[in-house]
Amino acid sequence: MDLLREISENLQKGRAKDVKELVQKAIDEGIDVNKILEEGLLHGMDIIGAKFKNNEVYVPDVLIAARAMNIGTELLKPLLVSSGVKAKGKVIIGTVKGDLHDIGKNLVRMMMEGKGLEVIDLGVDVPAEKFVESAISNDVDIIACSALLTTTMTEMKNIVEKVKQSDLSDKVKIMIGGAPVTDSFRESIGADLYADDAASAADAALEVCLA
Ligand code: B1M
């Protein structure tokens, strides 16, 4: 079987050890780093993302595939940097203040990384001020906020307002999501983007960064 296809298929099965060995083999054989990334790792992650969206695979499958992806990407990172390949865009992500749920947020981060975006993860219980300060200091394209509680999703409004008060509003898009969040809530608080699952969030973020 073609080596890149083997990487993709092993990634989809979450076989991190095999992915690591195959990526190293591809590097040793002199296969172009971008090809290993795009046609091996990202190809596999795209398929998992689509299957997840269609309920053909579930959270644990995505988590183990993402772990395999991360291990493969770690091997490629130094080569990608030295060959001058830039991330397609930069995102900061966090779960809003008062909220400790991070499983969905982590999936969104992994899917975005799988699309070639650089993601800075602020963790959980992140105050609005920290989102804004970090967006300024890291010069990001998107602020991505996750909330799982009806009591904490209102914190997203504070983030939108703080961004409007800063000089970021023309430069940065705000994306929101999480189980209780809806597109009409997004509209009501003036955020830019809403996605209801991790794969859609990654697709929407990539679209913004490439626009
Ligand atoms: Co909590 N919890 N929890 N909890 N918890 C819920 C959310 C709840 C619905 C359970 C229930 O009552 N049925 C309920 C909220 C009710 C409400 O507000 N309407 C609830 C509650 C009440 C609480 C506590 C208050 C309980 C208590 O202490 N009395 C407490 C709050 C703590 C706090 O945050 N301050 C609490 C605590 C916890 C645990 C710590 C035990 C644990 C979290 C562990 C962790 O995350 N590390 C936990 C869990 C696991 C859940 C449930 C069971 C599962 C959540 C989850 O991870 N789902 C949840 C019930 C449920 O959902 N069935 C529940 C899987 C995950 C992949 O989905 O996060 O929705 P989700 O992410 C999806 C999408 O929403 C989307 O993509 C993801 C994948 O497709 N998405 C985005 C998420 N973020 C996005 C951002 C985007 C775009 C898409 O753009 C930026």
Side-chain angles (χ1 to χ4, degrees):
M1 198 197 300
D2 170 65
L3 190 50
L4 298 177
R5 214 174 102 201
E6 260 189 274
I7 292 173
S8 167
E9 291 190 358
N10 278 280
L11 183 141
Q12 292 168 51
K13 291 173 187 152
R15 293 183 181 150
K17 194 167 162 274
D18 294 332
V19 169
K20 189 177 178 186
E21 281 170 15
L22 290 163
V23 168
Q24 190 56 57
K25 194 172 169 202
I27 294 170
D28 294 343
E29 285 185 12
I31 299 178
D32 181 69
V33 201
N34 292 303
K35 271 189 108 165
I36 303 173
L37 180 67
E38 298 284 343
E39 293 173 34
L41 296 169
L42 292 181
H43 179 264
M45 206 60 199
D46 271 350
I47 293 176
I48 278 290
K51 286 187 173 170
F52 184 53
K53 209 167 163 180
N54 294 330
N55 293 319
E56 289 169 46
V57 298
Y58 301 98
V59 173
D61 308 297
V62 182
L63 288 173
I64 58 166
R67 193 190 52 176
M69 163 93 201
N70 284 334
I71 288 171
T73 321
E74 279 308 311
L75 285 177
L76 293 182
K77 238 178 209 167
L79 299 166
L80 286 168
V81 171
S82 64
S83 74
V85 175
K86 284 203 177 122
K88 291 170 181 163
K90 221 191 239 187
V91 181
I92 51 165
I93 193 164
T95 303
V96 301
K97 186 176 163 187
D99 200 322
L100 304 175
H101 295 86
D102 69 355
I103 298 171
K105 183 263 299 168
N106 292 343
L107 282 173
V108 173
R109 185 194 72 215
M110 289 168 185
M111 288 289 177
M112 287 181 174
E113 287 174 343
K115 289 277 175 192
L117 300 169
E118 181 184 343
V119 185
I120 300 158
D121 191 344
L122 302 179
V124 296
D125 193 17
V126 182
E129 298 76 17
K130 193 168 173 194
F131 276 106
V132 175
E133 282 160 18
S134 180
I136 294 169
S137 58
N138 290 293
D139 193 22
V140 300
D141 303 292
I142 297 172
I143 297 176
C145 315
S146 179
L148 261 286
L149 300 171
T150 45
T151 48
T152 58
M153 61 192 264
T154 48
E155 181 64 15
M156 290 168 162
K157 190 165 189 273
N158 289 338
I159 298 166
V160 172
E161 278 166 8
K162 290 248 172 339
V163 168
K164 276 187 186 149
Q165 287 158 15
S166 73
D167 59 358
L168 276 177
S169 51
D170 291 339
K171 299 182 206 152
V172 171
K173 300 275 183 221
I174 303 172
M175 177 186 285
I176 63 170
V181 180
T182 59
D183 195 47
S184 59
F185 177 70
R186 174 203 64 75
E187 210 178 338
S188 72
I189 64 168
D192 302 291
L193 303 153
Y194 160 76
D196 76 344
D197 60 61
S200 310
D203 286 342
L206 183 64
E207 205 176 307
V208 164
C209 292
L210 295 182

